[in-house]
Amino acid sequence: MGTSDSWRVACQDPGDGSGDVIVELPSDLLEKLGWTLGDELAIEQGEDGISLKLKHRAFNAPS
C-alpha cells in the first residue's frame, strides 16, 4: 500500500464508559492488506490523523 492510499472511517463509542473507541475497518481494505480477525495492529498519531500498521499476525491467520 502506498503512502497516497488513505481510508476514512468513523470511530464508535462502545458505550461502556472506558473511553475506548471501536473502528470498523472495511472488508475490502482488510482483504487488500491481508489482515484477518485477531491480527494485532499498532496505532500511530500523525498530522493528518491516525495510521494503523500490522504489529503481529494472528496465530491462526493464513500466510
Side-chain angles (χ1 to χ4, degrees):
M1 187 164 131
T3 57
S4 63
D5 292 338
S6 65
W7 298 74
R8 291 191 181 267
V9 295
C11 295
Q12 302 169 26
D13 183 346
D16 61 3
S18 66
D20 291 341
V21 295
I22 297 171
V23 179
E24 191 170 328
L25 301 175
S27 58
D28 54 336
L29 172 61
L30 295 174
E31 184 176 321
K32 180 178 182 177
L33 297 174
W35 294 353
T36 60
L37 182 64
D39 286 349
E40 186 176 339
L41 305 178
I43 301 172
E44 296 180 4
Q45 177 70 43
E47 290 181 22
D48 297 330
I50 62 167
S51 64
L52 301 174
K53 296 181 181 180
L54 182 63
K55 186 174 181 180
H56 295 287
R57 187 157 304 280
F59 177 72
N60 60 352
S63 51

